[in-house]
Amino acid sequence: TAGAAVAVCRAIERVCGVAPGIKWENDLFLKGKKICGILCEGSVKADGAEYVVMGIGLNVITRPQDFPGELRGTAGSLYSQTGIVYERGKLISAIISELCAMYETWKAGPVAFLDDYRRRCFVLGRTVEVSPLTGGVFTAVAEDISDDFGLVLRLPDGSVRTVHSGEVSITQV
């Protein structure tokens, strides 16, 4: 998922000339609005990944008025955030190209794009509300991305916790 997020960011930069940020772990934002969500499912064996199925939902030309009313405050598209209509075929081609390059990098070791992911992750240094898949909700400061792409959190009592799945929302602007 992290590799896909970096690949899609790179493709958007190459084709559109704008740089989306990553909201850990799988959402891309541009100018404060979510423009893309990424979900990955797969099967892992002892010797590595057997397969991965990736879903990338990138809003390209959606106009603000085309979003349902309840999403207009949070959802965006490349068009709504830039005023420019981008050619979807060029974006698809660039995303596929970046994903292929990311796969080669991943085989050599995913840490190769860890710094890029950290640089793009805009929750770092901010107070976030965390809803891990294991249950419960808590507030913490997002401090870092671990070497395995978990979100490293500093809890109010000073302890550190790393989560690898769940939802985060920024509580401090």
Side-chain angles (χ1 to χ4, degrees), residues 70-90:
E70 66 274 10
L71 296 180
R72 287 186 190 143
T74 57
S77 68
L78 289 168
Y79 171 72
S80 72
Q81 299 309 96
T82 65
I84 300 169
V85 175
Y86 296 99
E87 189 177 325
R88 289 179 285 187
K90 287 182 180 180

Side-chain angles (χ1 to χ4, degrees), residues 13-135:
E13 286 176 7
R14 184 163 36 127
V15 173
C16 306
V18 295
I22 299 170
K23 183 178 80 93
W24 184 88
E25 78 184 301
N26 60 341
D27 293 330
L28 304 186
F29 277 67
L30 185 63
K31 298 180 182 179
K33 302 268 181 126
K34 180 179 173 180
I35 62 165
C36 181
I38 300 168
L39 292 176
C40 296
E41 296 285 334
S43 174
V44 179
K45 291 186 172 185
D47 60 345
E50 182 179 24
Y51 66 86
V52 174
V53 177
M54 186 179 305
I56 300 171
L58 175 60
N59 296 327
V60 179
I61 59 172
T62 309
R63 300 174 305 169
Q65 63 268 29
D66 294 334
F67 288 107
E70 66 274 10
L71 296 180
R72 287 186 190 143
T74 57
S77 68
L78 289 168
Y79 171 72
S80 72
Q81 299 309 96
T82 65
I84 300 169
V85 175
Y86 296 99
E87 189 177 325
R88 289 179 285 187
K90 287 182 180 180
L91 275 165
I92 292 167
S93 176
I95 290 169
I96 291 169
S97 174
E98 291 292 344
L99 286 170
C100 289
M102 189 60 60
Y103 176 68
E104 292 304 317
T105 301
W106 184 267
K107 289 191 308 186
V111 76
F113 60 87
L114 180 60
D115 287 340
D116 198 357
Y117 186 88
R118 281 182 177 134
R119 181 178 60 78
R120 296 170 187 278
C121 187
F122 63 83
V123 301
L124 298 181
R126 299 175 96 181
T127 301
V128 294
E129 185 174 270
V130 183
S131 303
L133 292 181
T134 55

